[in-house]
Amino acid sequence: PRRVTALARTDAHLARVPVAALRALLAGAPQWWRVIGTSALEYGDITVAAYGDMLIQDTTRRCAAALLRLSGLRSPRRARLELASAPVTRSELATLVNVSRATLVPILKRLESAGLLEQGYRVIRIRDAARLQTMVFGDAAPTESPGA
């Protein structure tokens, strides 16, 4: 049997559609293939970006990259300025960037003091995405996300 674990911090829909039912639906609406393909590519891009984040050795830069990705403000995704926040706890973020919570807390405080983010209950709001992107990517920081 196939198993999946899902954790959602925002409204989300999760469905399991049997292959036979999916084939029948797509036979009646073949244009849906494009939506499925686009979604698969976007999730693949997010996965590659997450892997790339983990290769960043500097913990502050790695944390900034993860926050941009979680808030939908990092390429290759389309910028989602209405979000501009990462619905994540400190413990979850520490796990995602592979550091202890004791290491993460001072990093978040420094970024907050610099005006780059604001910490809340189970959320980290991005205050200056451009400066965070520059911190992560340097001069190669994307000025606009593709598809925006």
Side-chain angles (χ1 to χ4, degrees):
R2 295 183 184 147
R3 294 188 179 156
V4 65
T5 300
L7 172 67
R9 290 282 179 237
T10 60
D11 291 342
H13 298 281
L14 180 64
R16 181 188 171 279
V17 181
V19 173
L22 181 61
R23 284 188 179 135
L25 288 169
L26 292 170
Q31 67 274 17
W32 290 357
W33 274 112
R34 178 180 215 121
V35 174
I36 291 170
T38 301
S39 296
L41 288 173
E42 184 172 331
Y43 291 125
D45 287 345
I46 293 167
T47 301
V48 169
Y51 180 76
D53 290 350
M54 292 308 296
L55 296 176
I56 298 171
Q57 291 183 350
D58 180 82
T59 53
T60 300
R61 286 183 56 232
R62 190 166 63 242
C63 180
L67 287 169
L68 287 168
R69 181 172 35 85
L70 292 171
S71 62
L73 297 173
R74 176 166 182 217
S75 293
R77 295 181 72 183
R78 290 178 221 84
R80 297 180 63 191
L81 298 177
E82 77 282 359
L83 261 184
S85 65
V88 65
T89 66
R90 289 178 186 156
S91 295
E92 291 166 342
L93 183 59
T95 299
L96 287 171
V97 297
N98 197 30
V99 297
S100 69
R101 196 166 179 271
T103 299
L104 178 70
V105 169
I107 291 170
L108 292 176
K109 285 182 181 178
R110 281 194 307 273
L111 294 174
E112 189 170 35
S113 295
L116 300 175
L117 58 85
E118 175 187 323
Q119 298 180 70
Y121 178 71
R122 298 184 85 161
V123 67
I124 298 173
R125 285 176 276 288
I126 307 302
R127 292 291 174 223
D128 194 336
R131 282 179 50 210
L132 275 178
Q133 287 179 339
T134 299
M135 176 186 293
V136 174
F137 302 108
D139 291 335
T143 54
E144 184 177 313
S145 295

